[in-house]
Amino acid sequence: MAKKIAFFNHKGGVSKTTNVFHFGWMLAEQGYKVLLVDADPQCNLTGLILSSGSFDRFEQHYLDRPDCNLKSALSPVFDGALSPLTAAPNLEIESRDGLYLLPGHLALSEYEITLTLAHELSGSVHALKNVPGAAAHLLDITADAVGADYVLIDLNPSLSSINQNLFLSSDGFIIPNSPDYFSQMAIHSLARVLPMWSSWLDRAVGHPALQDASYTLSARKPKFLGTVVQNFRLRGGDPTKGFQDQINRLFRVIDETLMPALSQSELAFSLERYSEVLGERSSGFCLGLVPDFNSLVTTSHIGSTPVFALSDEQIGSVGSVLSQNREKRGDFHDIYEKAVRQVVELLG
Ligand SMILES: Nc1ncnc2c1ncn2[C@@H]1O[C@H](COP(=O)(O)OP(=O)(O)OP(=O)(O)O)[C@@H](O)[C@H]1O
Ligand SMILES: [Mg+2]
């Protein structure tokens, strides 16, 4: 069965979507089949992949294929139809073999209330018993239908029930971060919230109404795969001093506050396992430090291509500027290649 990986941080703009796309593409480049799932009503991942710089193509998708998105695929359960869930129609990403997209939907948040009620484990659960396990089942059968090895889930920046549900349905999770004070605050907050979600799962799997649901919840807990720190400036190949200070502070909060909380809640592997894969002295459980893409970010958006996979034609520059950009492209390729190798190893 495919391994599901959630990219989650309730802080906005920390590169969740960017990382889902870059990790997914890199996994596909290494020969894996990968299903990307846009579970954020903002639909940035869908826009990034479908638009290629033109919003019209994004809009056209919903006119041409109204059934091809996460919300429509969940509707048999969430809209109370009696039909069973079936594998979601998804899109093969033409420019990258082995990469598929289950698009998002701007109205996915309409399901938030139903899911919240179903999560309350109250009297309403009987009527809504198939709701909590529906998304995990849908992603599993959709991944099976495309023969996916990995499912990468892009979550929205909030502590919504949709995020809680998909987070807990995953095998592992990655926390993208920015090197700033607000990311440190977000990590403190995750150290409180994620254990609560883990306790909720314990209660839910033991709840009689959910045990006889058609789509049951798995008691297995997602494991922390690491962080990615993104979007800082370099000087002489290293983060500038200001950014390095912020990265150090962030890592300290992750090591001293987040990790103990995750370990206690069965949301982490053993420390030995991380040392084996990430290296003895790695702090912050960091899979990768990704500096500012600079001018390549716009080229990446326009070409719907990760920065490390841009062609010389897409980069478009000539002479020494092209050489510099090629070098940066190679550096980003190395960073993501290593990050993905570590994730594959951690998930075993
Ligand atoms: N390393 C980087 N260098 C430059 N720009 C970056 C880098 N990483 C991400 N960005 C840009 O930062 C913006 C925010 O990134 P992204 O959309 O991936 O964040 P997010 O966490 O998914 O946001 P949200 O919380 O709204 O879903 C995007 O415009 C993205 O292209
Ligand atoms: Mg996003």
Side-chain angles (χ1 to χ4, degrees):
M1 190 175 289
K3 304 264 193 210
K4 298 191 283 298
I5 306 174
F7 286 69
F8 181 57
N9 189 335
H10 57 326
K11 176 169 163 26
V14 290
S15 306
K16 294 177 286 294
T17 302
T18 305
N19 277 307
V20 167
F21 188 46
H22 282 64
F23 273 71
W25 188 293
M26 180 56 80
L27 280 163
E29 202 179 290
Q30 296 186 2
Y32 296 105
K33 278 199 173 172
V34 185
L35 175 67
L36 307 180
V37 177
D38 188 351
D40 179 357
Q42 296 182 99
C43 296
N44 290 157
L45 180 65
T46 308
L48 175 64
I49 293 170
L50 294 188
S51 303
S52 291
S54 150
F55 185 66
D56 292 352
R57 276 185 236 156
F58 172 77
E59 279 195 311
Q60 197 60 43
H61 165 73
Y62 294 91
L63 296 172
D64 293 345
R65 306 272 313 268
D67 62 328
C68 182
N69 63 77
L70 179 60
K71 179 172 185 276
S72 295
L74 286 170
S75 75
V77 169
F78 279 76
D79 291 332
L82 293 173
S83 52
L85 289 169
T86 53
N90 54 78
L91 298 172
E92 249 181 283
I93 298 175
E94 281 168 22
S95 45
R96 178 62 259 170
D97 270 0
L99 196 58
Y100 303 79
L101 171 70
L102 174 52
H105 197 287
L106 290 163
L108 180 69
S109 35
E110 287 171 18
Y111 288 167
E112 198 67 65
I113 295 171
T114 310
L115 193 53
T116 304
L117 273 176
H119 275 190
E120 273 177 7
L121 306 179
S122 63
S124 62
V125 171
H126 240 294
L128 299 171
K129 65 181 179 183
N130 285 331
V131 169
H137 180 77
L138 175 77
L139 297 191
D140 286 342
I141 57 176
T142 305
D144 274 359
V146 296
D149 303 291
Y150 292 96
V151 177
L152 271 47
I153 310 167
D154 188 19
L155 295 174
N156 68 76
S158 77
L159 296 174
S160 66
S161 297
I162 291 177
N163 281 353
Q164 176 182 353
N165 188 270
L166 285 165
F167 175 90
L168 291 171
S169 305
S170 303
D171 297 274
F173 59 98
I174 291 172
I175 305 183
N177 279 291
S178 309
D180 59 29
Y181 174 68
F182 301 110
S183 273
Q184 294 160 41
M185 279 173 60
I187 294 292
H188 275 291
S189 155
L190 286 177
R192 290 188 297 272
V193 170
L194 299 181
M196 287 196 258
W197 284 3
S198 170
S199 307
W200 175 85
L201 185 62
D202 291 332
R203 289 198 302 282
V205 290
H207 196 284
L210 293 186
Q211 278 172 351
D212 76 339
S214 305
Y215 309 120
T216 51
L217 284 167
S218 164
R220 183 214 59 231
K221 303 225 169 123
K223 300 288 186 263
F224 179 49
L225 299 171
T227 56
V228 182
V229 183
Q230 198 106 359
N231 208 351
F232 50 84
R233 253 169 274 125
L234 292 175
R235 182 169 303 144
D238 292 314
T240 56
K241 180 168 181 325
F243 278 116
Q244 188 60 61
D245 288 346
Q246 291 293 345
I247 293 170
N248 293 344
R249 284 196 199 112
L250 181 68
F251 283 179
R252 207 168 309 129
V253 183
I254 291 166
D255 293 346
E256 294 173 8
T257 306
L258 181 68
M259 188 41 124
L262 296 180
S263 294
Q264 274 192 357
S265 307
E266 301 168 83
L267 295 171
F269 298 116
S270 69
L271 290 177
E272 294 74 47
R273 178 98 172 259
Y274 291 108
S275 300
E276 272 165 35
V277 177
L278 303 178
E280 206 54 71
R281 282 186 299 161
S282 96
S283 56
F285 299 85
C286 187
L287 297 164
L289 285 170
V290 185
D292 191 338
F293 295 147
N294 289 313
S295 62
L296 293 182
V297 74
T298 315
T299 321
S300 164
H301 288 174
I302 292 170
S304 298
T305 308
V307 288
F308 62 73
L310 290 167
S311 64
D312 288 355
E313 293 70 40
Q314 284 173 309
I315 291 174
S317 40
V318 289
S320 62
V321 180
L322 177 60
S323 312
Q324 281 167 17
N325 280 329
R326 276 183 179 154
E327 197 178 318
K328 280 192 222 152
R329 176 181 64 195
D331 292 343
F332 288 121
H333 195 275
D334 292 347
I335 292 169
Y336 278 101
E337 197 173 39
K338 182 173 175 205
V340 158
R341 184 166 26 84
Q342 291 169 329
V343 167
V344 169
E345 218 176 314
L346 275 170
L347 279 174

